[in-house]
């Protein structure tokens, strides 16, 4: 983003585009408020990590265009799954069984939700889980939003089949992907949500992908994401869940993008007795750089929050894991544990695993484990001495390293997809060659 911006001209252009898009006035006004806020807000901070020169906000235009739906042709065939598919800003498919629709389940694109379910979306879109004025990137998200999904699961509804959402960045054209997933899990609801992020096309673009989850009392939600954004996509991935009394919310995220990634995953355990598990795997290759904050905030009494993340670095890549456990004063009986481990497969890679504990209460249990190390040469020697070539031996060691996190992912289909994606990423990293060699 250039040093000087004509924000009044930007506001005029945003309003014109939003009105032409048929957006309700309440959301148009929120867009304009976000443009105003951008002028004063700073970028978010990631400990020991600098991303300030990334082209995350170079595109300050709001426009809407249809994408070629054939970009979704290579997706797995649907066999009656609950499914939502979006290419760029174009919704390709929505499949919700009739019995779920009759129970009040809503799965639709974010702009249809703004128009048709304004009571819910006005209340929760960037107002409670994430506030638009937290930093410059969250303000950008609200100002230039151009795609996304809304899911509402009513009180007491249990969905046994996973809800699968495919969000495909259309990089056949020059346009930032500014996507928002808003999930409301009403009281006592239970379901699993699987997000797939990938890119089609070679144009350099930014991707701002935000997830907000409102978990009402006694709800139980499992959120999984497999991130495979492309080699020309600089990405900001912001994911946050707000947990009410006795809510259970779990993250299982595989970050295997091909370009630099700024990640932020947060569970706010506001309600008494709430519980969250946050599992993250990241693999970096080439000259890629990833900075990831994984944060749990214990606010209610007798809350439990655990972080488990493992990263693998190949070639000249960089990966920073910050595990942040924050126990607020008054959160008596809280339990917050974390484990952050990084495996470097190259002596040219740079990795950090930073456990950060912020504790303002006495009656709590908190702990951490962190490690950064090279591949175990004894393991490599053992495998290679039995006729296994070096590249396969490396992949086996990596699989063993990631195994404790992968095994904790409860959905077998997500676990297998992550394994397949990680294998492809590692093989690409093993074959990586510097362009100047």
């Amino acid at each position: 983003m250039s040093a000087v911006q004509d924000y009044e001209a930007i506001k005029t252009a945003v309003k014109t585009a939003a009105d032409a898009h048929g957006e309700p006035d309440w959301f148009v006004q929120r867009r304009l408020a976000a443009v105003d806020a951008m002028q004063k807000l700073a970028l978010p901070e990631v400990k020991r990590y600098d991303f300030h020169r990334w082209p995350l906000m170079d595109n300050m235009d709001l426009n809407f265009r249809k994408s070629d739906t054939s970009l979704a042709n290579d997706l797995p065939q649907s066999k009656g799954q609950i499914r939502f598919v979006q290419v760029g800003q174009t919704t390709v498919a929505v499949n919700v069984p009739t019995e779920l629709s009759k129970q009040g389940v809503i799965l639709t694109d974010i702009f249809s939700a703004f128009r048709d379910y304004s009571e819910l979306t006005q209340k929760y879109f960037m107002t409670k889980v994430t506030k638009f004025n937290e930093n410059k990137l969250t303000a950008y998200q609200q100002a230039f939003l151009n795609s996304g999904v809304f899911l509402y699961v009513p009180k007491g509804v249990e969905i046994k089949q996973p809800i699968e959402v495919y969000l495909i960045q259309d990089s056949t054209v020059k346009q930032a992907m500014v996507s928002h997933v808003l999930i409301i899990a009403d009281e006592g609801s239970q379901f699993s949500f699987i997000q797939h992020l990938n890119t089609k096309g070679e144009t350099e673009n930014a991707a701002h992908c935000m997830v907000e989850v409102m978990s009402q009392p006694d709800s139980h939600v499992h959120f999984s994401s497999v991130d495979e954004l492309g080699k020309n996509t600089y990405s900001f991935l912001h994911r946050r869940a707000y947990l009410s009394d006795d809510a259970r919310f779990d993250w299982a995220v595989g970050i295997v993008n091909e370009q630099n990634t700024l990640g932020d995953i947060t569970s706010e355990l506001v309600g008494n007795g709430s519980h969250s598990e946050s599992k993250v795997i990241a693999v970096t290759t080439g000259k890629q750089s990833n900075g990831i904050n994984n944060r749990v905030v214990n606010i209610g009494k007798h809350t439990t929050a655990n972080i488990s993340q493992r990263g693998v670095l190949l070639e000249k890549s960089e990966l920073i894991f910050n595990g942040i456990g924050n126990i607020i004063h008054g959160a008596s009986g809280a339990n917050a544990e974390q484990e952050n481990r990084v495996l470097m497969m190259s002596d040219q890679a740079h990795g950090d695993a930073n456990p950060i504990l912020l504790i303002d209460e006495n009656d709590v249990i908190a702990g951490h484990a962190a490690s950064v190390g090279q591949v175990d040469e004894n393991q490599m020697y053992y495998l290679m001495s039995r006729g296994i070539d070096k590249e396969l031996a490396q992949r086996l060691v990596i699989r063993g390293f990631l195994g404790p996190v992968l095994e904790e992912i409860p959905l077998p289909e997500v676990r297998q997809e992550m394994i397949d994606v990680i294998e492809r990423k590692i093989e690409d990293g093993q074959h990586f060659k510097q362009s100047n060699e």
Side-chain angles (χ1 to χ4, degrees):
M1 187 173 65
S2 60
V4 178
Q5 292 285 344
D6 185 346
Y7 281 97
E8 288 305 314
I10 291 172
K11 285 176 65 176
T12 299
V14 164
K15 187 176 189 313
T16 299
D19 287 341
H21 192 228
E23 296 174 9
D25 183 65
W26 69 264
F27 186 64
V28 176
Q29 295 306 314
R30 288 195 187 181
R31 285 193 186 273
L32 301 181
V35 175
D36 284 336
M38 287 182 66
Q39 302 177 57
K40 300 178 182 179
L41 293 170
L43 291 168
E45 292 298 324
V46 179
K47 187 176 178 64
R48 301 182 183 177
Y49 193 70
D50 184 11
F51 62 92
H52 293 77
R53 295 186 180 182
W54 295 7
L56 288 174
M57 295 184 293
D58 281 2
N59 190 328
M60 299 282 277
D61 296 322
L62 178 65
N63 50 59
F64 296 91
R65 55 165 62 91
K66 291 185 178 180
S67 292
D68 181 357
T69 58
S70 69
L71 295 174
N73 283 353
D74 62 351
L75 295 181
Q77 292 297 311
S78 176
K79 298 179 181 179
Q81 293 102 327
I82 307 170
R83 174 182 277 203
F84 180 98
V85 180
Q86 192 170 74
V87 178
Q89 303 155 358
T90 303
T91 299
V92 176
V94 182
N95 181 35
V96 180
T98 302
E99 60 270 23
L100 292 180
S101 296
K102 288 181 177 179
Q103 293 180 71
V105 174
I106 301 167
L107 179 62
T108 187
D109 73 274
I110 195 73
F111 292 107
S112 294
F114 289 158
R115 291 187 290 266
D116 300 336
Y117 307 102
S118 60
E119 183 176 348
L120 283 171
T121 51
Q122 271 190 270
K123 183 177 181 180
Y124 290 113
F125 180 86
M126 298 194 76
T127 59
K128 190 167 186 176
V129 183
T130 296
K131 294 180 173 60
F132 81 93
N133 58 356
E134 290 182 11
N135 57 64
K136 192 179 287 289
L137 292 182
T138 55
Y140 180 93
Q141 173 80 16
Q142 180 163 290
F144 298 99
L145 178 72
N146 58 27
S147 58
V149 186
F150 174 71
L151 172 66
Y152 171 70
V153 180
K155 181 178 179 178
V157 173
E158 179 180 355
I159 304 176
K160 295 184 178 179
Q161 187 179 10
I163 300 163
E164 291 200 82
V165 170
Y166 293 85
L167 302 179
I168 302 171
Q169 179 189 30
D170 183 359
S171 280
T172 64
V173 295
K174 181 66 177 176
Q175 179 166 313
M177 176 187 189
V178 189
S179 173
H180 201 103
V181 176
L182 177 60
I183 299 172
I184 302 173
D186 213 333
E187 184 177 350
S189 61
Q190 297 185 40
F191 58 93
S192 297
F193 185 99
I194 306 173
Q195 177 181 259
H196 309 260
L197 293 177
N198 58 51
T199 301
K200 294 297 177 69
E202 303 295 326
T203 304
E204 183 175 298
N205 281 313
H208 292 245
C209 301
M210 183 175 288
V211 175
E212 291 188 287
V213 184
M214 183 66 201
S215 292
Q216 299 286 20
D218 294 305
S219 61
H220 189 168
V221 181
H222 188 280
F223 181 99
S224 302
S225 185
V226 182
D227 304 340
E228 292 185 271
L229 295 170
K231 63 182 179 181
N232 293 318
T233 298
Y234 287 78
S235 56
F236 171 55
L237 307 178
H238 175 105
R239 294 164 169 138
R240 188 174 296 176
Y242 180 108
L243 282 70
S244 305
D245 287 347
D246 298 311
R248 169 73 184 255
F249 185 89
D250 297 334
W251 302 100
V253 179
I255 302 175
V256 286
N257 300 323
E258 295 184 65
Q259 184 51 274
N260 294 357
T261 299
L262 176 65
D264 187 280
I265 301 170
T266 302
S267 298
E268 294 189 338
L269 294 91
V270 180
N272 297 334
S274 53
H275 186 138
S276 179
E277 301 285 333
S278 184
K279 302 175 180 66
V280 177
I281 287 174
V283 180
T284 56
T285 59
K287 296 181 179 179
Q288 183 182 4
S289 177
N290 283 7
I292 299 169
N293 278 348
N294 194 343
R295 179 187 297 106
V296 294
V297 185
N298 298 71
I299 301 172
K301 298 181 184 300
H302 303 289
T303 55
T304 300
N306 297 314
I307 294 172
S308 178
Q309 47 190 5
R310 297 203 173 200
V312 177
L313 296 82
L314 293 90
E315 299 302 327
K316 297 182 178 180
S317 62
E318 177 185 31
L319 173 63
I320 308 298
F321 269 153
N322 292 322
I324 306 168
N326 188 2
I327 299 178
I328 304 298
H329 181 68
S332 59
N335 188 337
E337 305 281 347
Q338 60 172 284
E339 182 181 22
N340 311 281
R341 302 197 184 278
V342 172
L343 177 65
M344 293 187 290
M345 303 298 293
S346 165
D347 57 9
Q348 299 181 75
H350 173 70
D352 275 334
N354 304 311
I356 302 167
L357 296 178
L358 307 172
I359 302 173
D360 193 21
E361 180 60 52
N362 294 320
D363 180 22
V364 300
I365 299 173
H368 66 82
S371 66
V372 178
Q374 298 281 350
V375 63
D376 189 324
E377 293 299 332
N378 291 329
Q379 290 179 330
M380 290 291 295
Y381 175 79
Y382 175 85
L383 293 169
M384 293 175 67
S385 68
R386 278 149 179 77
I388 299 175
D389 65 66
K390 183 178 180 179
E391 290 189 352
L392 178 55
Q394 285 182 331
R395 293 199 294 274
L396 291 172
V397 169
I398 292 170
R399 175 76 75 85
F401 173 74
L402 297 178
V405 176
L406 288 169
E407 290 168 1
E408 293 179 21
I409 297 172
L411 297 173
E413 57 268 45
V414 176
R415 184 165 60 246
Q416 188 57 52
E417 182 179 5
M418 282 194 185
I419 290 171
D420 294 342
V421 170
I422 289 166
E423 290 282 351
R424 290 198 299 270
K425 173 84 169 178
I426 292 169
E427 288 187 35
D428 290 343
Q430 289 176 322
H431 301 150
F432 175 84
K433 298 294 182 184
Q434 298 295 335
S435 59
N436 60 356
E437 289 183 348

